[in-house]
Amino acid sequence: METGKLQHPDSGDERRERKRRQILAVAREIFLRDGYAGASMSEISACVGGSKGTLYAYFASKSELFRAVLEDSLTRHEAEVSGTIAGGGAPGEVLRAFSERFLEVLLRPENLALIRLVYAEAGRFPEVGQAFYDSGPANAEQHLADYIRGAVEQGYLRADTDPLLAARQMILLSQGWIHNRRLWNVTPAPSEAEIRENAHAAVRTFLAAFGA
Amino acid sequence: METGKLQHPDSGDERRERKRRQILAVAREIFLRDGYAGASMSEISACVGGSKGTLYAYFASKSELFRAVLEDSLTRHEAEVSGTIAGGGAPGEVLRAFSERFLEVLLRPENLALIRLVYAEAGRFPEVGQAFYDSGPANAEQHLADYIRGAVEQGYLRADTDPLLAARQMILLSQGWIHNRRLWNVTPAPSEAEIRENAHAAVRTFLAAFGA
DNA sequence: CCGAAACCGTACCATACCGTACGGTCGAGA
DNA sequence: TCTCGACCGTACGGTATGGTACGGTTTCGG
């Protein structure tokens, strides 16, 4: 009743939602490309096709649009990385899979741009950094620590392992030097082989420190 | 002759150089606070005291000022970190000193702001990232790798250690989770004890992987 | 088929930006 | 004391910004 009939492919709410997503997609692209201060509402509305009045009918201000773009972008890769450790099992292969996937996700151009943007704005807008941390690194950290705790209990890892510390070190090693060099834009995108190599090295060091 | 007499405390060139440094200091502060797009030449000139015309007599454009600020900022901590590994010696204490100093330098508010700024602009201005990398991380990486190579030859570390890989992993572990959380602005400045703890954990993991 | 709501195009406001220009002032060197 | 260059204060030009207003048009539910 309040949402209209399903027969029609273009009910009001659906239409509005579609437009909203379209605006978010365009705005996301421009924010990631130019940064918060560098992006322009006029350009966004021009790129999205409609008028600026319409844009302001969907989002009350630039900062609110920015917030919505971030919120939308952050909920994308929640499960993708954590999925690699959901099953449990022996650390060697699980951690290798995690490390590879983790770095591969971090290195996608869209995510590099997002990470740059968050770093840039976190100083002035603490809630940006907080939102990013909560919906990304905090999850990875927690899930990995849980897995490690289980692996310790099963005797795969040393009994005196601090799961949280081990998880954080594993994440740092997985992220690797490549990630920094990509953020600094001083090296082209690495091959899959390099990513695998990094994961291999990370796991080797991790297991040397925490393996049973 | 070409630089004027030393008797007078205020020769022309000296005066110019002083003003230049003053401008750089103020501009640095504002760029680090507001980012490149967010900073304003008018505010900089107002903060520095003089007129905008004078500002443009020293730096031809905003981008050139930005470049000069970066160049000036990057040459500060060259030796401070590398000094901790200059002497050589057994890895345990040397690496601990390196790790502590490294993280402590990274966590200084001015450097956090600089790192944020570089991350933010490296995507659009590759030369910014390159300059930063060359004058900072590349040096640390190289010096640490050299030290590790020496330690391997002296039998302190495993013979099959890849010095460059080991150096990079050591840097990643030293930088630690704290550094990221500070960049994301989700945690207050850590105590010295936390920094020492991080260094301790980094060295422990490193030696487990590469110790002889 | 009607009426209302959403949307478009465009013009507009106030502000801020970068960069320039210009007349006045001050201090140093001759 | 005179000259000259650097500096100051200020104002300005041209452009772009975030955000608003408004009349005309399309779209959709009833």
Side-chain angles (χ1 to χ4, degrees):
Chain A
M1 198 164 302
E2 66 282 356
T3 60
K5 304 160 187 168
L6 289 175
Q7 311 170 328
H8 205 294
D10 212 17
S11 109
D13 291 8
E14 276 180 27
R15 193 177 163 74
R16 185 171 176 85
E17 186 57 23
R18 266 220 313 263
K19 183 108 189 168
R20 198 187 127 93
R21 295 209 172 276
Q22 188 190 356
I23 292 176
L24 280 179
V26 170
R28 176 186 146 94
E29 201 172 332
I30 293 183
F31 273 127
L32 291 187
R33 173 161 56 84
D34 299 335
Y36 180 76
S40 136
M41 292 294 271
S42 294
E43 187 186 354
I44 290 176
S45 91
C47 262
V48 85
S51 84
K52 217 155 52 151
T54 304
L55 175 57
Y56 275 91
Y58 281 85
F59 301 95
S61 69
K62 187 183 186 181
S63 65
E64 191 182 311
L65 212 203
F66 183 65
R67 217 161 299 281
V69 164
L70 276 188
E71 188 182 349
D72 181 59
S73 298
L74 291 181
T75 58
R76 292 178 187 278
H77 309 289
E78 272 196 24
E80 191 165 7
V81 171
S82 305
T84 61
I85 54 178
E93 194 46 42
V94 172
L95 290 179
R96 232 180 72 92
F98 166 84
S99 187
E100 261 179 48
R101 175 69 81 192
F102 183 72
L103 181 53
E104 188 263 321
V105 168
L106 282 191
L107 290 182
R108 290 180 200 163
E110 32 167 350
N111 289 338
L112 282 178
L114 178 66
I115 291 167
R116 283 203 192 100
L117 186 59
V118 170
Y119 277 146
E121 306 301 338
R124 272 155 297 184
F125 303 145
E127 64 275 24
V128 167
Q130 188 70 52
F132 176 80
Y133 179 71
D134 290 340
S135 73
N139 279 334
E141 179 189 1
Q142 196 56 53
H143 288 147
L144 190 54
D146 288 345
Y147 166 77
I148 289 175
R149 193 173 295 111
V152 169
E153 286 168 5
Q154 291 175 32
Y156 287 128
L157 300 177
R158 289 174 47 168
D160 63 344
T161 298
D162 173 352
L164 196 54
L165 171 69
R168 289 171 172 178
Q169 289 196 338
M170 184 63 208
I171 289 177
L172 290 171
L173 292 173
S174 298
Q175 146 184 334
W177 202 237
I178 307 177
H179 180 235
N180 283 327
R181 292 181 38 131
R182 286 296 290 158
L183 280 180
W184 292 322
N185 210 357
V186 296
T187 191
S191 66
E192 275 194 36
E194 289 178 78
I195 294 179
R196 277 200 302 271
E197 209 170 318
N198 186 82
H200 182 68
V203 170
R204 199 174 26 172
T205 293
F206 179 89
L207 287 184
F210 302 105
Chain B
M1 199 166 303
E2 66 281 357
T3 60
K5 303 161 185 167
L6 289 176
Q7 310 171 328
H8 205 291
D10 212 14
S11 112
D13 290 7
E14 277 181 27
R15 193 178 163 72
R16 185 170 176 85
E17 185 57 24
R18 266 219 314 261
K19 183 107 188 169
R20 198 186 127 92
R21 294 211 171 275
Q22 189 189 356
I23 292 175
L24 281 180
V26 171
R28 176 184 145 92
E29 202 172 332
I30 293 184
F31 273 127
L32 292 187
R33 174 161 54 85
D34 298 334
Y36 179 76
S40 135
M41 292 293 271
S42 294
E43 188 186 353
I44 291 176
S45 91
C47 262
V48 85
S51 85
K52 221 161 40 156
T54 306
L55 175 57
Y56 275 91
Y58 282 84
F59 300 94
S61 71
K62 188 184 184 180
S63 64
E64 191 181 311
L65 212 203
F66 182 65
R67 215 160 299 281
V69 165
L70 275 189
E71 186 182 350
D72 182 58
S73 299
L74 291 182
T75 57
R76 292 177 187 278
H77 309 289
E78 272 196 24
E80 192 165 6
V81 172
S82 304
T84 60
I85 54 177
E93 195 45 45
V94 172
L95 290 180
R96 232 180 74 91
F98 165 85
S99 187
E100 261 180 47
R101 176 69 82 189
F102 183 72
L103 182 55
E104 188 262 322
V105 168
L106 283 191
L107 290 182
R108 289 179 200 164
E110 32 169 349
N111 290 336
L112 282 177
L114 178 65
I115 291 167
R116 283 203 191 101
L117 186 59
V118 170
Y119 277 146
E121 305 301 337
R124 273 155 299 187
F125 304 146
E127 65 274 23
V128 167
Q130 187 72 51
F132 176 79
Y133 179 71
D134 290 341
S135 74
N139 279 333
E141 179 189 2
Q142 195 56 52
H143 288 147
L144 189 54
D146 287 345
Y147 166 77
I148 289 175
R149 192 173 294 110
V152 168
E153 287 167 5
Q154 292 176 28
Y156 286 130
L157 300 178
R158 289 174 47 167
D160 63 344
T161 298
D162 173 353
L164 196 54
L165 171 69
R168 288 171 172 178
Q169 289 197 337
M170 183 64 206
I171 289 176
L172 290 170
L173 292 173
S174 299
Q175 146 185 334
W177 202 236
I178 307 176
H179 180 234
N180 284 326
R181 292 180 38 130
R182 284 297 289 158
L183 280 180
W184 294 321
N185 211 355
V186 296
T187 190
S191 66
E192 276 194 36
E194 289 178 77
I195 294 179
R196 278 199 303 271
E197 210 170 318
N198 186 82
H200 183 68
V203 170
R204 200 173 25 172
T205 293
F206 179 89
L207 288 183
F210 302 105

